[in-house]
Amino acid sequence: MRILIFMLSMFCSLAHSQQTAQNLFGQYRTALYQIKIIELESGNKSSIGSGFQIDTSGNVVTNYHVVSEYVYNPDKFRIEYLAHDGSEGQLQLVDVDVINDLALVRKVALSEQESAFPIAQSLPKQGSAIYSLGNPHDLGMIVVPGTFNGLKKSSFYQRIHFTGSINPGMSGGPVVNELGEVMGVNVATAGNQIGFLIPLAKIQGLLTSQNAQVLENEQLKPRIQEQLLDNQNKLFALLNNHTWPTSVLGEAMIPSKITDFISCWGGSNTSDKEALYLSVENRCQLDEQIYLHNGLRTGGLELEFEWLDGKSLGEHRFYNFYSQSITGAGASNNATKTDVTNFRCQQDKVTNINGVTNKTVFCLRAYKEFDQLYDVLFVAATLDHTHQGLISHYTLAGVSKESALVFTQKFMDAISWQ
């Protein structure tokens, strides 16, 4: 009997969800669009996404990554929309929020009857049914029922955890509650019915630009740099303004999980009975990065520490092995020579406040489009032992020189011997 009641309850819930989805699609499909990036030379679309209208003045919200090709090359692309009835039109870029992957675009020509999605005043209760709308795989607009699982825990870049399918082409589409009010925007999927949404507060922040003038081409990159610098200032204020916890690695004490939104892992080669040396590792990283365009991501942070013990190698062999281990470090983010310069490095010998002496290599590469931003690569190797040593390494993406230098000092001073 209980099984029958449970099955009836599940059936009724599914039927209600399907009916709600149908009602939402019927009511709001006129305010839901496919967003197309058109390559001017060929006249063909280069990429697609979704978007939704939020007022009768023609303002449409989508993802930044949907329109990023236009942002980087406004002379080679244009932005268009495709409505449910097959009508098309041109869009102008009003504003971007590159940190939260949002963009506000505006219809060039308005119709007599413009419709819009209402914006929710608050997020629903955890476990509530919500509905993702979009245009997957260029197949037409659909509604995907799902579940609101609250905000993602331990995340610097706030996201909603959504149980439901977000497919390619749905990026930038709205996620609504049962009243059809927008409370999130599709942004990413981790597969297996795990999706992430940009939350209500970030949408509301973007909407302060509703009455703004359209961004001119020469204003696009400065607007992005302003947002990136503001974001990294907030990040490094959080990282630098408290004491970092430390943990044991070999005979050293190292910074480990320096904040809640940094994930850490460990490992060693102790299971390899043929290993000629002992290697114990600790790695921590910020799991999220900021999308700028298909070949460039920024905003990342990684810390790596490796304790090496090579008593069986002998002093000379260990020194050679130890020296080679230092050269393996590289940048953590995607970038091409079109976007960044080559790394320029400076070597030094530094003794920190705990008396630990390191040989250090500090490298910077500049962003060609953003004159105040750099990627940083730093490697340090202790010089206090003949058969043992600690290699410390970090990478930062998209930071100012000032932030990098402050971080480096804190990073070095957090290392000590047991």
Side-chain angles (χ1 to χ4, degrees):
M1 185 65 177
R2 289 181 179 177
I3 295 176
L4 179 60
I5 292 173
F6 175 76
M7 291 178 66
L8 286 172
S9 174
M10 290 291 291
F11 176 77
C12 291
S13 176
L14 179 60
H16 172 72
S17 179
Q18 290 175 338
Q19 185 61 48
T20 302
Q22 291 172 3
N23 292 340
L24 289 172
F25 187 76
Q27 186 174 358
Y28 292 110
R29 62 179 180 171
T30 56
L32 192 61
Y33 302 103
Q34 180 186 93
I35 307 298
K36 303 186 294 181
I37 304 302
I38 306 298
E39 201 262 329
L40 296 180
E41 190 68 27
S42 66
N44 293 321
K45 59 189 174 187
S46 174
S47 61
I48 63 169
S50 300
F52 59 97
Q53 193 162 331
I54 45 86
D55 60 25
T56 56
S57 299
N59 285 306
V60 174
V61 173
T62 187
N63 284 145
Y64 164 81
H65 76 256
V66 170
V67 299
S68 61
E69 281 184 301
Y70 172 82
V71 172
Y72 263 76
N73 295 287
D75 57 331
K76 296 181 180 179
F77 298 93
R78 67 174 181 267
I79 313 172
E80 292 185 355
Y81 69 87
L82 173 67
H84 77 288
D85 60 359
S87 61
E88 299 177 301
Q90 193 167 340
L91 294 166
Q92 296 174 310
L93 184 63
V94 178
D95 201 4
V96 297
D97 176 357
V98 69
I99 307 302
N100 294 296
D101 200 356
L102 289 172
L104 187 68
V105 293
R106 184 177 297 155
K107 295 167 74 173
V108 173
L110 299 178
S111 65
E112 294 182 1
Q113 293 183 326
E114 295 288 333
S115 59
F117 279 85
I119 306 298
Q121 296 302 306
S122 61
L123 292 174
K125 293 181 179 179
Q126 190 161 348
S128 297
I130 54 177
Y131 303 86
S132 171
L133 290 74
N135 190 91
H137 301 289
D138 204 12
L139 297 175
M141 295 299 175
I142 67 167
V143 180
V144 177
T147 305
F148 174 75
N149 295 306
L151 295 173
K152 182 183 176 185
K153 296 179 180 179
S154 303
S155 177
F156 181 68
Y157 300 107
Q158 198 177 70
R159 294 289 185 264
I160 290 170
H161 177 197
F162 170 69
T163 302
S165 298
I166 300 175
N167 297 301
M170 294 184 72
S171 294
V175 181
V176 300
N177 58 26
E178 292 191 329
L179 299 177
E181 298 169 331
V182 176
M183 41 70 60
V185 177
N186 300 321
V187 68
T189 179
N192 297 318
Q193 297 288 301
I194 298 175
F196 296 105
L197 317 173
I198 302 164
L200 176 64
K202 307 305 180 184
I203 305 169
Q204 292 170 329
L206 181 71
L207 298 189
T208 59
S209 303
Q210 269 179 277
N211 298 317
Q213 295 295 314
V214 171
L215 283 173
E216 301 294 336
N217 291 352
E218 62 271 14
Q219 296 175 296
L220 297 176
K221 304 280 176 56
R223 178 71 170 142
I224 291 174
Q225 175 162 275
E226 174 190 354
Q227 293 175 355
L228 292 172
L229 285 170
D230 181 63
N231 178 72
Q232 61 107 337
N233 286 338
K234 292 175 182 176
L235 173 62
F236 285 96
L238 286 172
L239 294 176
N240 294 330
N241 294 337
H242 73 280
T243 302
W244 290 357
T246 58
S247 61
V248 177
L249 190 73
E251 296 184 11
M253 299 294 295
I254 61 164
S256 53
K257 189 173 175 61
I258 61 177
T259 186
D260 288 342
F261 50 80
I262 298 287
S263 302
C264 296
W265 300 267
S268 71
N269 67 343
T270 53
S271 61
D272 184 359
K273 296 181 180 180
E274 297 182 1
L276 298 176
Y277 60 92
L278 171 67
S279 170
V280 186
E281 298 178 331
N282 183 280
R283 294 188 179 92
C284 300
Q285 70 177 34
L286 179 64
D287 292 327
E288 303 121 327
Q289 293 190 356
I290 299 166
Y291 181 99
L292 292 180
H293 66 73
N294 191 45
L296 178 61
R297 285 163 176 77
T298 191
L301 180 155
E302 287 187 353
L303 299 88
E304 296 185 3
F305 300 91
E306 183 178 17
W307 175 261
L308 294 169
D309 187 327
K311 292 186 178 73
S312 63
L313 293 176
E315 184 175 337
H316 180 69
R317 287 182 66 194
F318 178 75
Y319 176 81
N320 290 334
F321 166 73
Y322 190 54
S323 299
Q324 291 171 7
S325 299
I326 299 172
T327 63
S332 61
N333 62 318
N334 293 335
T336 68
K337 63 182 181 180
T338 304
D339 301 299
V340 295
T341 64
N342 292 326
F343 277 110
R344 299 182 64 179
C345 300
Q346 176 180 334
Q347 297 188 30
D348 207 345
K349 182 179 178 181
V350 178
T351 300
N352 72 1
I353 59 174
N354 300 311
V356 180
T357 302
N358 282 270
K359 177 182 179 181
T360 64
V361 182
F362 179 83
C363 303
L364 291 173
R365 66 180 182 188
Y367 283 54
K368 294 181 178 179
E369 298 282 2
F370 308 109
D371 59 5
Q372 298 179 54
L373 294 177
Y374 301 84
D375 288 339
V376 186
L377 170 62
F378 179 82
V379 183
T382 56
L383 300 175
D384 302 77
H385 300 81
T386 56
H387 297 94
Q388 298 171 307
L390 175 71
I391 296 175
S392 308
H393 167 226
Y394 79 73
T395 60
L396 306 174
V399 303
S400 66
K401 283 184 181 179
E402 293 75 15
S403 291
L405 292 172
V406 172
F407 185 87
T408 302
Q409 188 66 55
K410 192 170 183 71
F411 180 85
M412 291 299 299
D413 287 344
I415 297 170
S416 63
W417 298 126
Q418 287 195 76

